[in-house]
Amino acid sequence: MTTNRTFTMIKPDAVANGHIGNILAMITNAGFKIVSLKLTQLTVADAKAFYAVHAERPFYGELVKFMSSGPIVAAILEKENAVADFRTLIGATNPAEAAEGTIRKLYATSMGENAVHGSDSDENAMIESNFHFAGREQF
Ligand SMILES: Nc1ncnc2c1ncn2[C@@H]1O[C@H](COP(=O)(O)OP(=O)(O)OP(=O)(O)O)[C@@H](O)[C@H]1O
């Protein structure tokens, strides 16, 4: 397996509920190295662009509103098999279906407000990382 990178956001629900520290601890305890990190907030335009792939889905408006509703933590993570291993760590999109011990099982409140994002491919990890971080912020 090769060392690679994934992109994550701690979403507005988890930030508002005070879970930043616990979620970052779970991430680093699982062996991910943080190579970029910031507290930021998406504008409506940013959220629309980030989730453009979902533009035709019925939940798109709700998703854009939620993701721009408050601060998020954006991070780039490095590990062997980072994309797949991170999706295992966060659990299923719907927290009711998320496995025990996953971040979403512990901290997500609903399908929409599900605590964290994780890239779904190496290609998207790079696109999403570059959306949020300048080259000099990627260590
Ligand atoms: N049926 C739904 N109702 C409300 N929100 C939804 C629904 N399906 C997805 N979402 C929201 O849109 C996000 C993107 O959906 P996607 O299918 O890509 O899930 P995911 O890959 O598990 O999540 P993410 O991209 O945030 O890591 C979900 O994380 C969730 O916040």
Side-chain angles (χ1 to χ4, degrees):
M1 262 181 267
T2 54
T3 300
N4 61 13
R5 291 182 170 196
T6 191
F7 172 78
T8 186
M9 292 180 285
I10 303 177
K11 296 185 179 185
D13 58 322
V15 172
N17 291 330
H19 299 315
I20 294 174
N22 286 339
I23 291 174
L24 289 178
M26 284 183 74
I27 290 170
T28 52
N29 288 341
F32 292 87
K33 181 177 166 187
I34 295 171
V35 296
S36 299
L37 183 69
K38 68 178 156 196
L39 187 68
T40 184
Q41 183 164 354
L42 297 175
T43 64
V44 169
D46 289 333
K48 280 184 176 168
F50 189 88
Y51 284 109
V53 67
H54 295 306
E56 303 306 320
R57 309 280 286 276
F59 57 82
Y60 181 63
E62 183 189 333
L63 177 61
V64 166
K65 190 174 169 195
F66 166 61
M67 287 303 299
S68 57
S69 67
I72 60 160
V73 172
I76 303 174
L77 308 172
E78 189 175 87
K79 186 185 172 297
E80 276 186 3
N81 203 29
V83 167
D85 284 3
F86 192 70
R87 288 183 71 86
T88 301
L89 178 66
I90 66 179
T93 308
N94 182 350
E97 292 165 10
E100 289 299 329
T102 60
I103 294 174
R104 283 173 169 160
K105 182 71 176 185
L106 287 165
Y107 299 115
T109 47
S110 69
M111 183 91 165
E113 303 199 1
N114 62 0
V116 278
H117 163 80
S119 304
D120 63 6
S121 67
D122 287 349
E123 187 190 359
N124 283 337
M126 189 168 293
I127 293 168
E128 293 170 0
S129 295
N130 292 335
F131 183 95
H132 283 270
F133 292 101
R136 69 178 181 282
E137 297 173 312
Q138 299 185 27
F139 294 94

